């Protein structure tokens, strides 16, 4: 009999015209099998002299039948071969975090590019093209193009595979995957070190500040900076840029007698068998420019005329102070040194807890010169590290100026980068609870916001906090406890513990 059918996972994908990025994805929401719908276009709006004014009005007021206009109409719902009419209802799927993000993120993660062991140059199948991603994610190509261009909606970590690895043709179709964790880590550390040590004149974008201190028209040229980063990475991770190394030639020393001269089979560097051959090349491949750009673009503010769709660095850009500060924070946690109780310094590492005062001091030392008015804020550590209040006086620390102390407590920080956690929501939540037993909503949001729909117009009206809390409730339970605010007063706090 007639009625309505609720379809399961049915989509209509509409591709835009050639050169027009207006493709969209429609979800089939309902099928009616008992009604036939008659579709009539809206009547044209005519002026007093009877001419068409070029716009339509669906709800015109008719004073008389003589004003009615014959319009073409067609019926919708009669399916060939069906005895009863059917009508399909489709709703457009808005391009948002929950549209195809999870599928796109996991699909890109199947191809991991390792700069230490890049794929063969004759392997054109490495990575996914935009049409292939659209097919896997069941959406239009233009939606995937927008996600990849803006590095959003699941493509936050998308890497354009270097053309030298996919094909030798510069006009080849771009293919995408992700960068290995080791590759991302070493390149980001090279960027932080280069910005700190470079002699280049850096341009900064302080447009969010009351004044535009340090903002130069046109920004700085990026090609010298990219080359400095590549050279720094090469020297740190596998040898100098030089393609070969050869021992210095032996020179006769006139101040030595024949008896005192070195044997020709010896040198101050060892025997010839212990030396690398003269034509030995560095074992580390040259870092591709696309990889540098992939790690550099989050800390850049592009000029208005620059296209963010390009998969190589534009000619000019400016540095974003807050993003560079976040990069310097990673550098501090991984390569900084902590004071021991005796006052000596030693290597820190990711598992070490930092007192806030000492962290801010070491962090400031790793910032490149930008502006005297720029101040570090612990709010920039969201998604970089987690914090806790430790009771009592920190051993060997004392009440130093700058420590975040409340009574007899001090705040301390431990490194936990968002990019180092699993890219699947369920696995990420489990990993978070493996690191610490309880989480507040504010602590968890920077690590989970990419997996939920934010409170933007047209999306969830509840907002980002509600969506993150809903995700947490699937894997944990909420408990009410007591915490302290910035003044040291007890306040009620909601925490989440693993089930």
């Amino acid at each position: 009999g007639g009625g309505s059918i609720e379809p399961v996972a049915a989509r209509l994908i509409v591709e835009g015209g050639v050169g027009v990025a207006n493709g969209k994805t429609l979800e089939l929401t309902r099928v009616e099998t008992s009604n036939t719908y008659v579709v009539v276009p809206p009547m044209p709006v005519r002026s007093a002299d009877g001419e068409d004014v070029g716009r339509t009005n669906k709800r015109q007021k008719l004073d008389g039948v003589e004003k009615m206009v014959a319009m073409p109409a067609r019926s919708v719902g009669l399916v060939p071969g069906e005895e009863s009419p059917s009508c399909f209802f489709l709703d457009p799927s808005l391009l948002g975090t929950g549209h195809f993000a999870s599928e796109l993120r996991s699909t890109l993660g199947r191809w991991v590019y390792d700069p230490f062991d890049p794929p063969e140059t004759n392997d054109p199948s490495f990575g996914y093209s935009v049409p292939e991603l659209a097919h896997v994610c069941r959406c239009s190509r233009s939606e995937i193009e927008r996600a990849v261009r803006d590095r959003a909606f699941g493509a936050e970590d998308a890497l354009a595979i270097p053309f030298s690895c996919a094909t030798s043709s510069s006009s080849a179709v771009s293919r995408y995957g992700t960068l290995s964790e080791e590759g991302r880590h070493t390149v980001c550390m090279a960027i932080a070190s280069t910005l700190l040590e470079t002699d280049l004149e850096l341009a900064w974008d302080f447009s969010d500040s009351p004044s535009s201190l340090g903002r130069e028209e046109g920004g700085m040229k990026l090609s010298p900076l990219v080359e400095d980063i590549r050279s720094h990475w090469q020297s740190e991770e596998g040898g100098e840029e030089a393609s070969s190394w050869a021992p210095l030639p032996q020179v006769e020393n006139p101040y030595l007698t024949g008896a005192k001269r070195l044997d020709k089979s010896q040198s101050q560097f060892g025997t010839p068998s212990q030396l690398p051959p003269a034509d030995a090349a560095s074992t580390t491949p040259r870092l591709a420019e696309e990889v540098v750009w992939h790690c550099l673009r989050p800390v850049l503010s592009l000029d208005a005329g620059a296209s963010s769709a390009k998969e190589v660095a534009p000619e000019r850009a400016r540095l974003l102070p807050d993003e560079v500060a976040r990069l310097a924070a990673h550098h501090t946690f991984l390569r900084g040194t902590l004071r021991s109780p005796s006052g000596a310094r030693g290597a820190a590492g990711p598992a070490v807890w930092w007192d806030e005062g000492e962290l801010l001091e070491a962090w400031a030392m790793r910032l490149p010169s930008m502006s005297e008015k720029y101040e570090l804020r612990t709010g920039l550590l969201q998604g970089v590290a987690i914090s806790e209040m430790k009771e009592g006086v920190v051993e060997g620390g004392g009440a130093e100026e700058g420590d975040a102390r409340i009574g007899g407590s001090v705040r301390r920080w431990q490194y936990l980068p968002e990019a180092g956690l699993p890219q699947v929501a369920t696995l990420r939540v489990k990993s978070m609870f493996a690191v610490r037993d309880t989480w507040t909503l504010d602590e968890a949001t920077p690590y989970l916001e990419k997996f939920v729909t934010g409170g933007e117009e047209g999306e969830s009206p509840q907002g980002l906090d509600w969506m993150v809390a809903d995700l947490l409730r699937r894997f944990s339970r909420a408990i009410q406890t007591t915490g302290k605010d910035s003044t040291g007063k007890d306040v009620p706090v909601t925490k989440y513990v693993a089930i």
Side-chain angles (χ1 to χ4, degrees):
S4 127
I5 300 174
E6 296 298 330
V8 180
R11 290 181 179 177
L12 174 66
I13 299 172
V14 181
E15 295 290 355
V18 178
V20 181
N22 59 353
K24 56 186 176 181
T25 304
L26 304 172
E27 295 281 354
L28 181 59
T29 59
R30 190 170 85 254
V31 178
E32 288 196 2
T33 59
S34 59
N35 298 313
T36 297
Y37 288 80
V38 178
V39 180
V40 182
M43 291 175 57
V45 177
R46 302 186 184 279
S47 60
D49 56 4
E51 294 187 4
D52 191 351
V53 298
R55 59 188 180 89
T56 58
N57 187 345
K58 294 182 179 180
R59 296 183 179 180
Q60 294 185 62
K61 183 177 180 180
L62 299 177
D63 297 329
V65 178
E66 65 277 2
K67 290 187 177 182
M68 297 184 67
V69 180
M71 300 293 294
R74 63 187 179 91
S75 63
V76 175
L78 191 61
V79 180
E82 296 283 345
E83 296 182 358
S84 61
S86 300
C87 188
F88 298 86
F89 291 82
L90 300 114
D91 287 338
S93 296
L94 298 178
L95 186 58
T97 308
H99 182 9
F100 52 70
S102 297
E103 187 66 34
L104 179 58
R105 189 178 293 112
S106 61
T107 301
L108 290 169
R110 297 172 191 169
W111 292 101
V112 180
Y113 176 86
D114 184 1
F116 295 96
D117 185 22
E120 297 293 335
T121 57
N122 59 355
D123 183 9
S125 63
F126 193 92
Y128 287 105
S129 64
V130 167
E132 291 168 344
L133 289 172
H135 175 75
V136 173
C137 297
R138 298 169 60 241
C139 62
S140 67
R141 297 180 184 180
S142 59
E143 289 174 299
I144 293 291
E145 289 172 349
R146 178 182 168 188
V148 171
R149 180 196 66 206
D150 297 339
R151 293 301 191 269
F153 313 119
E156 300 89 354
D157 301 314
L159 167 71
I161 304 302
F163 287 120
S164 58
C165 300
T167 177
S168 58
S169 173
S170 59
S171 61
V173 175
S174 296
R175 305 186 71 84
Y176 299 90
T178 56
L179 183 61
S180 68
E181 178 62 22
E182 183 182 10
R184 184 195 62 81
H185 163 72
T186 56
V187 175
C188 287
M189 291 303 97
I191 293 173
S193 298
T194 302
L195 292 177
L196 186 63
E197 302 169 5
T198 186
D199 294 329
L200 298 173
E201 185 175 353
L202 304 178
W204 301 89
D205 185 356
F206 289 94
S207 56
D208 291 335
S209 302
S211 61
S212 299
L213 295 174
R215 180 164 182 160
E216 299 178 9
E217 189 67 27
M220 61 182 180
K221 296 190 69 172
L222 282 186
S223 54
L225 179 61
V226 170
E227 283 306 312
D228 277 2
I229 294 170
R230 296 171 79 176
S231 299
H232 191 100
W233 183 89
Q234 203 75 29
S235 62
E236 286 284 332
E237 305 300 332
E240 302 296 332
E241 287 283 341
S243 61
S244 62
W245 181 91
L248 294 174
Q250 292 185 354
V251 179
E252 295 291 336
N253 190 336
Y255 298 98
L256 293 177
T257 63
K260 294 182 180 179
R261 288 182 182 145
L262 294 173
D263 187 279
K264 290 185 178 181
S265 65
Q266 296 289 330
S267 79
Q268 58 176 324
F269 303 106
T271 63
S273 62
Q274 296 172 321
L275 297 174
D279 59 348
S282 172
T283 58
T284 304
R286 181 171 170 79
L287 185 63
E289 183 177 337
E290 291 88 344
V291 177
V292 179
W293 170 232
H294 173 77
C295 297
L296 188 61
R297 64 185 292 170
V299 304
L300 293 177
S301 171
L302 301 179
D303 290 332
S307 173
S308 60
K310 294 181 180 179
E311 301 303 345
V312 294
E315 184 178 355
R316 292 182 177 273
R318 298 181 184 87
L319 292 164
L320 295 168
D322 284 352
E323 295 304 321
V324 172
R326 288 171 59 86
L327 193 61
H330 289 278
H331 201 228
T332 303
F333 279 108
L334 291 171
R335 308 218 175 153
T337 55
L338 276 169
R339 284 191 298 266
S340 65
S342 62
R345 288 187 175 271
V352 174
W353 285 93
W354 288 70
D355 290 355
E356 188 168 290
E358 187 174 355
L359 173 62
L360 289 173
E361 179 184 344
W363 187 9
M365 294 295 293
R366 293 183 179 270
L367 274 183
S369 177
M370 53 178 79
S371 170
E372 294 180 356
K373 294 187 178 181
Y374 182 80
E375 295 182 0
L376 291 174
R377 311 180 305 278
T378 55
L380 296 175
L381 296 176
Q382 291 186 349
V384 176
I386 54 177
S387 67
E388 68 175 17
M389 297 301 298
K390 183 177 180 181
E391 299 293 335
V393 178
V394 177
E395 186 178 358
E400 298 182 7
E401 184 179 357
D403 282 352
R405 295 181 180 276
I406 299 177
S409 303
V410 61
R411 183 170 294 280
R412 59 181 193 167
W413 295 81
Q414 186 183 50
Y415 189 52
L416 185 64
E418 181 274 331
L421 294 176
Q423 298 300 312
V424 179
T426 55
L427 298 179
R428 174 164 294 203
V429 174
K430 292 179 180 178
S431 298
M432 290 168 59
F433 281 109
V435 172
R436 65 175 359 175
D437 297 330
T438 62
W439 289 80
T440 65
L441 189 59
D442 289 341
E443 293 168 343
T445 296
Y447 296 95
L448 298 177
E449 60 183 345
K450 69 192 300 181
F451 297 101
V452 299
T453 303
E456 299 178 4
E457 184 178 357
E459 298 182 348
S460 171
Q462 291 87 352
L464 179 61
D465 288 347
W466 188 93
M467 297 297 291
V468 172
D470 182 62
L471 178 60
L472 280 173
R473 283 192 290 266
R474 302 177 197 174
F475 310 99
S476 62
R477 59 186 177 89
I479 60 173
Q480 296 296 325
T481 183
T482 301
K484 294 184 181 297
D485 61 12
S486 58
T487 63
K489 295 182 179 179
D490 291 338
V491 292
V493 176
T494 301
K495 293 189 176 182
Y496 297 86
V497 296
I499 300 177

